[in-house]
PDB file of all heavy atoms in Angstrom:
ATOM      1  N   ASN Q   7      34.604 -12.461   2.183  1.00  0.00           N
ATOM      2  CA  ASN Q   7      34.817 -13.513   3.193  1.00  0.00           C
ATOM      3  C   ASN Q   7      35.237 -14.821   2.537  1.00  0.00           C
ATOM      4  O   ASN Q   7      36.140 -15.509   3.014  1.00  0.00           O
ATOM      5  CB  ASN Q   7      33.537 -13.745   4.000  1.00  0.00           C
ATOM      6  CG  ASN Q   7      33.285 -12.633   4.987  1.00  0.00           C
ATOM      7  OD1 ASN Q   7      34.198 -11.886   5.337  1.00  0.00           O
ATOM      8  ND2 ASN Q   7      32.053 -12.505   5.443  1.00  0.00           N
ATOM      9  N   LEU Q   8      34.577 -15.149   1.435  1.00  0.00           N
ATOM     10  CA  LEU Q   8      34.883 -16.403   0.751  1.00  0.00           C
ATOM     11  C   LEU Q   8      36.310 -16.384   0.207  1.00  0.00           C
ATOM     12  O   LEU Q   8      37.069 -17.352   0.369  1.00  0.00           O
ATOM     13  CB  LEU Q   8      33.882 -16.630  -0.393  1.00  0.00           C
ATOM     14  CG  LEU Q   8      34.121 -17.875  -1.241  1.00  0.00           C
ATOM     15  CD1 LEU Q   8      33.984 -19.139  -0.398  1.00  0.00           C
ATOM     16  CD2 LEU Q   8      33.137 -17.925  -2.408  1.00  0.00           C
ATOM     17  N   LYS Q  11      38.732 -16.757   2.914  1.00  0.00           N
ATOM     18  CA  LYS Q  11      38.729 -18.142   3.398  1.00  0.00           C
ATOM     19  C   LYS Q  11      39.553 -19.028   2.463  1.00  0.00           C
ATOM     20  O   LYS Q  11      40.288 -19.923   2.903  1.00  0.00           O
ATOM     21  CB  LYS Q  11      37.276 -18.636   3.446  1.00  0.00           C
ATOM     22  CG  LYS Q  11      37.036 -19.844   4.320  1.00  0.00           C
ATOM     23  CD  LYS Q  11      35.542 -20.101   4.371  1.00  0.00           C
ATOM     24  CE  LYS Q  11      35.224 -21.399   5.068  1.00  0.00           C
ATOM     25  NZ  LYS Q  11      33.781 -21.679   5.030  1.00  0.00           N
ATOM     26  N   GLU Q  30      12.061 -10.634 -16.097  1.00  0.00           N
ATOM     27  CA  GLU Q  30      11.135 -11.341 -16.994  1.00  0.00           C
ATOM     28  C   GLU Q  30       9.717 -11.187 -16.462  1.00  0.00           C
ATOM     29  O   GLU Q  30       9.509 -11.137 -15.252  1.00  0.00           O
ATOM     30  CB  GLU Q  30      11.529 -12.812 -17.075  1.00  0.00           C
ATOM     31  CG  GLU Q  30      12.847 -13.011 -17.782  1.00  0.00           C
ATOM     32  CD  GLU Q  30      13.368 -14.417 -17.609  1.00  0.00           C
ATOM     33  OE1 GLU Q  30      12.693 -15.353 -18.061  1.00  0.00           O
ATOM     34  OE2 GLU Q  30      14.441 -14.563 -17.013  1.00  0.00           O
ATOM     35  N   LEU Q  31       8.772 -11.121 -17.380  1.00  0.00           N
ATOM     36  CA  LEU Q  31       7.411 -10.774 -16.979  1.00  0.00           C
ATOM     37  C   LEU Q  31       6.577 -12.036 -16.751  1.00  0.00           C
ATOM     38  O   LEU Q  31       5.810 -12.457 -17.604  1.00  0.00           O
ATOM     39  CB  LEU Q  31       6.799  -9.872 -18.053  1.00  0.00           C
ATOM     40  CG  LEU Q  31       7.643  -8.616 -18.319  1.00  0.00           C
ATOM     41  CD1 LEU Q  31       7.064  -7.812 -19.469  1.00  0.00           C
ATOM     42  CD2 LEU Q  31       7.743  -7.761 -17.075  1.00  0.00           C
ATOM     43  N   TRP Q  32       6.747 -12.601 -15.615  1.00  0.00           N
ATOM     44  CA  TRP Q  32       6.019 -13.826 -15.283  1.00  0.00           C
ATOM     45  C   TRP Q  32       4.545 -13.497 -15.050  1.00  0.00           C
ATOM     46  O   TRP Q  32       4.233 -12.508 -14.381  1.00  0.00           O
ATOM     47  CB  TRP Q  32       6.601 -14.443 -14.012  1.00  0.00           C
ATOM     48  CG  TRP Q  32       8.048 -14.795 -14.109  1.00  0.00           C
ATOM     49  CD1 TRP Q  32       9.096 -13.961 -13.878  1.00  0.00           C
ATOM     50  CD2 TRP Q  32       8.613 -16.059 -14.457  1.00  0.00           C
ATOM     51  NE1 TRP Q  32      10.292 -14.627 -14.062  1.00  0.00           N
ATOM     52  CE2 TRP Q  32      10.021 -15.919 -14.416  1.00  0.00           C
ATOM     53  CE3 TRP Q  32       8.067 -17.288 -14.804  1.00  0.00           C
ATOM     54  CZ2 TRP Q  32      10.885 -16.954 -14.706  1.00  0.00           C
ATOM     55  CZ3 TRP Q  32       8.929 -18.331 -15.093  1.00  0.00           C
ATOM     56  CH2 TRP Q  32      10.314 -18.157 -15.044  1.00  0.00           C
ATOM     57  N   PHE Q  35       3.399 -12.392 -11.621  1.00  0.00           N
ATOM     58  CA  PHE Q  35       3.609 -11.006 -11.203  1.00  0.00           C
ATOM     59  C   PHE Q  35       2.383 -10.161 -11.545  1.00  0.00           C
ATOM     60  O   PHE Q  35       1.934  -9.340 -10.743  1.00  0.00           O
ATOM     61  CB  PHE Q  35       4.847 -10.412 -11.882  1.00  0.00           C
ATOM     62  CG  PHE Q  35       6.153 -11.060 -11.487  1.00  0.00           C
ATOM     63  CD1 PHE Q  35       7.319 -10.776 -12.174  1.00  0.00           C
ATOM     64  CD2 PHE Q  35       6.220 -11.948 -10.420  1.00  0.00           C
ATOM     65  CE1 PHE Q  35       8.528 -11.363 -11.820  1.00  0.00           C
ATOM     66  CE2 PHE Q  35       7.425 -12.547 -10.059  1.00  0.00           C
ATOM     67  CZ  PHE Q  35       8.585 -12.257 -10.759  1.00  0.00           C
ATOM     68  N   GLU Q  36       1.859 -10.379 -12.756  1.00  0.00           N
ATOM     69  CA  GLU Q  36       0.673  -9.623 -13.158  1.00  0.00           C
ATOM     70  C   GLU Q  36      -0.512  -9.959 -12.249  1.00  0.00           C
ATOM     71  O   GLU Q  36      -1.257  -9.088 -11.813  1.00  0.00           O
ATOM     72  CB  GLU Q  36       0.316  -9.930 -14.613  1.00  0.00           C
ATOM     73  CG  GLU Q  36      -0.813  -9.038 -15.111  1.00  0.00           C
ATOM     74  CD  GLU Q  36      -1.414  -9.521 -16.417  1.00  0.00           C
ATOM     75  OE1 GLU Q  36      -1.172 -10.683 -16.793  1.00  0.00           O
ATOM     76  OE2 GLU Q  36      -2.141  -8.746 -17.040  1.00  0.00           O
ATOM     77  N   LEU Q  38      -0.465 -10.887  -9.204  1.00  0.00           N
ATOM     78  CA  LEU Q  38      -0.290 -10.277  -7.881  1.00  0.00           C
ATOM     79  C   LEU Q  38      -0.581  -8.779  -7.918  1.00  0.00           C
ATOM     80  O   LEU Q  38      -1.195  -8.235  -7.003  1.00  0.00           O
ATOM     81  CB  LEU Q  38       1.131 -10.530  -7.371  1.00  0.00           C
ATOM     82  CG  LEU Q  38       1.438 -11.993  -7.004  1.00  0.00           C
ATOM     83  CD1 LEU Q  38       2.907 -12.157  -6.649  1.00  0.00           C
ATOM     84  CD2 LEU Q  38       0.569 -12.468  -5.849  1.00  0.00           C
ATOM     85  N   ARG Q  43      -5.757  -7.887  -2.631  1.00  0.00           N
ATOM     86  CA  ARG Q  43      -5.120  -8.203  -1.338  1.00  0.00           C
ATOM     87  C   ARG Q  43      -3.660  -7.746  -1.311  1.00  0.00           C
ATOM     88  O   ARG Q  43      -3.025  -7.713  -0.268  1.00  0.00           O
ATOM     89  CB  ARG Q  43      -5.203  -9.712  -1.061  1.00  0.00           C
ATOM     90  CG  ARG Q  43      -6.644 -10.180  -0.821  1.00  0.00           C
ATOM     91  CD  ARG Q  43      -6.729 -11.686  -0.824  1.00  0.00           C
ATOM     92  NE  ARG Q  43      -6.411 -12.234  -2.134  1.00  0.00           N
ATOM     93  CZ  ARG Q  43      -6.400 -13.542  -2.413  1.00  0.00           C
ATOM     94  NH1 ARG Q  43      -6.701 -14.414  -1.474  1.00  0.00           N
ATOM     95  NH2 ARG Q  43      -6.105 -13.962  -3.629  1.00  0.00           N
ATOM     96  N   ASP Q  52      -0.343   6.936  -4.677  1.00  0.00           N
ATOM     97  CA  ASP Q  52      -0.937   6.847  -3.345  1.00  0.00           C
ATOM     98  C   ASP Q  52       0.020   6.311  -2.293  1.00  0.00           C
ATOM     99  O   ASP Q  52      -0.232   6.423  -1.113  1.00  0.00           O
ATOM    100  CB  ASP Q  52      -2.177   5.947  -3.386  1.00  0.00           C
ATOM    101  CG  ASP Q  52      -3.277   6.583  -4.210  1.00  0.00           C
ATOM    102  OD1 ASP Q  52      -3.089   7.735  -4.639  1.00  0.00           O
ATOM    103  OD2 ASP Q  52      -4.298   5.935  -4.411  1.00  0.00           O
ATOM    104  N   HIS Q  53       1.098   5.678  -2.723  1.00  0.00           N
ATOM    105  CA  HIS Q  53       1.999   5.067  -1.752  1.00  0.00           C
ATOM    106  C   HIS Q  53       3.401   5.644  -1.915  1.00  0.00           C
ATOM    107  O   HIS Q  53       4.383   4.934  -1.939  1.00  0.00           O
ATOM    108  CB  HIS Q  53       2.039   3.555  -1.952  1.00  0.00           C
ATOM    109  CG  HIS Q  53       0.702   2.910  -1.772  1.00  0.00           C
ATOM    110  ND1 HIS Q  53       0.204   2.563  -0.556  1.00  0.00           N
ATOM    111  CD2 HIS Q  53      -0.256   2.589  -2.683  1.00  0.00           C
ATOM    112  CE1 HIS Q  53      -0.997   2.035  -0.708  1.00  0.00           C
ATOM    113  NE2 HIS Q  53      -1.292   2.040  -1.980  1.00  0.00           N
ATOM    114  N   VAL Q  56       6.513   4.658   1.727  1.00  0.00           N
ATOM    115  CA  VAL Q  56       6.084   3.482   2.475  1.00  0.00           C
ATOM    116  C   VAL Q  56       7.224   2.940   3.322  1.00  0.00           C
ATOM    117  O   VAL Q  56       7.322   1.760   3.546  1.00  0.00           O
ATOM    118  CB  VAL Q  56       5.542   2.362   1.553  1.00  0.00           C
ATOM    119  CG1 VAL Q  56       4.256   2.793   0.906  1.00  0.00           C
ATOM    120  CG2 VAL Q  56       6.581   1.986   0.503  1.00  0.00           C
ATOM    121  N   ILE Q  58       9.346   1.658   6.251  1.00  0.00           N
ATOM    122  CA  ILE Q  58       8.914   0.854   7.379  1.00  0.00           C
ATOM    123  C   ILE Q  58       8.968   1.668   8.668  1.00  0.00           C
ATOM    124  O   ILE Q  58       9.879   2.461   8.887  1.00  0.00           O
ATOM    125  CB  ILE Q  58       9.795  -0.398   7.495  1.00  0.00           C
ATOM    126  CG1 ILE Q  58       9.353  -1.229   8.671  1.00  0.00           C
ATOM    127  CG2 ILE Q  58      11.228  -0.043   7.599  1.00  0.00           C
ATOM    128  CD1 ILE Q  58      10.219  -2.427   8.854  1.00  0.00           C
ATOM    129  N   ASN Q  61       5.736   0.165  15.524  1.00  0.00           N
ATOM    130  CA  ASN Q  61       4.560   0.605  16.256  1.00  0.00           C
ATOM    131  C   ASN Q  61       5.044   1.364  17.489  1.00  0.00           C
ATOM    132  O   ASN Q  61       5.404   0.779  18.493  1.00  0.00           O
ATOM    133  CB  ASN Q  61       3.737  -0.622  16.647  1.00  0.00           C
ATOM    134  CG  ASN Q  61       2.440  -0.242  17.320  1.00  0.00           C
ATOM    135  OD1 ASN Q  61       2.173   0.930  17.578  1.00  0.00           O
ATOM    136  ND2 ASN Q  61       1.626  -1.235  17.610  1.00  0.00           N
ATOM    137  N   ALA Q  66       7.282   2.957  23.457  1.00  0.00           N
ATOM    138  CA  ALA Q  66       7.452   4.096  24.348  1.00  0.00           C
ATOM    139  C   ALA Q  66       6.192   4.276  25.172  1.00  0.00           C
ATOM    140  O   ALA Q  66       5.105   3.927  24.754  1.00  0.00           O
ATOM    141  CB  ALA Q  66       7.705   5.360  23.534  1.00  0.00           C
ATOM    142  N   LEU Q  75      12.724   4.174   8.343  1.00  0.00           N
ATOM    143  CA  LEU Q  75      13.941   3.656   7.729  1.00  0.00           C
ATOM    144  C   LEU Q  75      14.657   4.774   6.993  1.00  0.00           C
ATOM    145  O   LEU Q  75      15.874   4.848   6.962  1.00  0.00           O
ATOM    146  CB  LEU Q  75      13.584   2.531   6.764  1.00  0.00           C
ATOM    147  CG  LEU Q  75      14.740   1.670   6.309  1.00  0.00           C
ATOM    148  CD1 LEU Q  75      15.398   0.994   7.480  1.00  0.00           C
ATOM    149  CD2 LEU Q  75      14.262   0.650   5.312  1.00  0.00           C
ATOM    150  N   ALA Q  77      14.947   7.725   7.853  1.00  0.00           N
ATOM    151  CA  ALA Q  77      15.722   8.532   8.781  1.00  0.00           C
ATOM    152  C   ALA Q  77      16.963   7.815   9.271  1.00  0.00           C
ATOM    153  O   ALA Q  77      17.960   8.449   9.599  1.00  0.00           O
ATOM    154  CB  ALA Q  77      14.845   8.909   9.963  1.00  0.00           C
ATOM    155  N   ILE Q  78      16.897   6.491   9.319  1.00  0.00           N
ATOM    156  CA  ILE Q  78      17.993   5.786   9.967  1.00  0.00           C
ATOM    157  C   ILE Q  78      18.913   5.085   8.986  1.00  0.00           C
ATOM    158  O   ILE Q  78      19.931   4.541   9.383  1.00  0.00           O
ATOM    159  CB  ILE Q  78      17.478   4.769  11.014  1.00  0.00           C
ATOM    160  CG1 ILE Q  78      16.483   3.807  10.390  1.00  0.00           C
ATOM    161  CG2 ILE Q  78      16.816   5.480  12.170  1.00  0.00           C
ATOM    162  CD1 ILE Q  78      17.034   2.591   9.859  1.00  0.00           C
ATOM    163  N   ALA Q  79      18.571   5.073   7.735  1.00  0.00           N
ATOM    164  CA  ALA Q  79      19.404   4.339   6.779  1.00  0.00           C
ATOM    165  C   ALA Q  79      19.941   5.269   5.712  1.00  0.00           C
ATOM    166  O   ALA Q  79      19.381   5.375   4.642  1.00  0.00           O
ATOM    167  CB  ALA Q  79      18.591   3.208   6.144  1.00  0.00           C
ATOM    168  N   ARG Q  82      24.095   4.399   0.996  1.00  0.00           N
ATOM    169  CA  ARG Q  82      25.465   3.907   0.969  1.00  0.00           C
ATOM    170  C   ARG Q  82      25.901   3.719  -0.472  1.00  0.00           C
ATOM    171  O   ARG Q  82      25.089   3.375  -1.321  1.00  0.00           O
ATOM    172  CB  ARG Q  82      25.558   2.548   1.673  1.00  0.00           C
ATOM    173  CG  ARG Q  82      25.310   2.611   3.147  1.00  0.00           C
ATOM    174  CD  ARG Q  82      25.420   1.237   3.725  1.00  0.00           C
ATOM    175  NE  ARG Q  82      24.497   0.311   3.078  1.00  0.00           N
ATOM    176  CZ  ARG Q  82      24.610  -0.998   3.162  1.00  0.00           C
ATOM    177  NH1 ARG Q  82      25.592  -1.537   3.826  1.00  0.00           N
ATOM    178  NH2 ARG Q  82      23.744  -1.778   2.561  1.00  0.00           N
ATOM    179  N   ASP Q  91      22.232  -6.397   1.784  1.00  0.00           N
ATOM    180  CA  ASP Q  91      21.624  -5.743   0.653  1.00  0.00           C
ATOM    181  C   ASP Q  91      20.373  -5.003   1.033  1.00  0.00           C
ATOM    182  O   ASP Q  91      19.306  -5.198   0.463  1.00  0.00           O
ATOM    183  CB  ASP Q  91      21.301  -6.816  -0.408  1.00  0.00           C
ATOM    184  CG  ASP Q  91      21.450  -6.236  -1.799  1.00  0.00           C
ATOM    185  OD1 ASP Q  91      21.943  -5.120  -1.962  1.00  0.00           O
ATOM    186  OD2 ASP Q  91      21.067  -6.961  -2.712  1.00  0.00           O
ATOM    187  N   PHE Q 103      15.414   2.603  -9.314  1.00  0.00           N
ATOM    188  CA  PHE Q 103      15.979   2.192 -10.593  1.00  0.00           C
ATOM    189  C   PHE Q 103      17.449   2.542 -10.677  1.00  0.00           C
ATOM    190  O   PHE Q 103      18.243   1.821 -11.250  1.00  0.00           O
ATOM    191  CB  PHE Q 103      15.205   2.839 -11.747  1.00  0.00           C
ATOM    192  CG  PHE Q 103      13.841   2.263 -11.904  1.00  0.00           C
ATOM    193  CD1 PHE Q 103      12.726   3.057 -11.907  1.00  0.00           C
ATOM    194  CD2 PHE Q 103      13.677   0.897 -12.011  1.00  0.00           C
ATOM    195  CE1 PHE Q 103      11.462   2.523 -12.029  1.00  0.00           C
ATOM    196  CE2 PHE Q 103      12.413   0.341 -12.134  1.00  0.00           C
ATOM    197  CZ  PHE Q 103      11.307   1.158 -12.144  1.00  0.00           C
ATOM    198  N   ALA Q 114      14.240   2.188 -18.007  1.00  0.00           N
ATOM    199  CA  ALA Q 114      13.537   1.389 -17.009  1.00  0.00           C
ATOM    200  C   ALA Q 114      12.085   1.841 -16.932  1.00  0.00           C
ATOM    201  O   ALA Q 114      11.799   3.015 -17.091  1.00  0.00           O
ATOM    202  CB  ALA Q 114      14.187   1.567 -15.659  1.00  0.00           C
ATOM    203  N   ASP Q 117       7.065   2.613 -13.061  1.00  0.00           N
ATOM    204  CA  ASP Q 117       6.471   2.113 -11.832  1.00  0.00           C
ATOM    205  C   ASP Q 117       5.778   0.788 -12.127  1.00  0.00           C
ATOM    206  O   ASP Q 117       5.942   0.207 -13.201  1.00  0.00           O
ATOM    207  CB  ASP Q 117       5.480   3.140 -11.267  1.00  0.00           C
ATOM    208  CG  ASP Q 117       4.452   3.550 -12.312  1.00  0.00           C
ATOM    209  OD1 ASP Q 117       4.187   2.753 -13.222  1.00  0.00           O
ATOM    210  OD2 ASP Q 117       3.937   4.667 -12.215  1.00  0.00           O
ATOM    211  N   ILE Q 129       1.149  -9.904 -23.627  1.00  0.00           N
ATOM    212  CA  ILE Q 129       0.038 -10.861 -23.722  1.00  0.00           C
ATOM    213  C   ILE Q 129      -0.679 -10.666 -25.059  1.00  0.00           C
ATOM    214  O   ILE Q 129      -0.994 -11.614 -25.771  1.00  0.00           O
ATOM    215  CB  ILE Q 129      -0.924 -10.693 -22.524  1.00  0.00           C
ATOM    216  CG1 ILE Q 129      -0.236 -11.197 -21.255  1.00  0.00           C
ATOM    217  CG2 ILE Q 129      -2.227 -11.435 -22.754  1.00  0.00           C
ATOM    218  CD1 ILE Q 129      -0.935 -10.834 -19.979  1.00  0.00           C
ATOM    219  N   GLY Q 132       0.977 -12.107 -27.873  1.00  0.00           N
ATOM    220  CA  GLY Q 132       1.068 -13.561 -27.794  1.00  0.00           C
ATOM    221  C   GLY Q 132       2.402 -14.071 -27.307  1.00  0.00           C
ATOM    222  O   GLY Q 132       2.752 -15.235 -27.488  1.00  0.00           O
TER     223      GLY Q 132
END
Side-chain angles (χ1 to χ4, degrees):
Chain Q
N7 286 341
L8 177 63
K11 199 174 172 184
E30 292 168 62
L31 304 175
W32 301 86
F35 295 169
E36 187 194 15
L38 291 174
R43 293 169 295 179
D52 293 355
H53 299 276
V56 293
I58 180 182
N61 184 356
L75 194 60
I78 55 92
R82 293 180 303 163
D91 213 9
F103 289 126
D117 53 26
I129 289 168

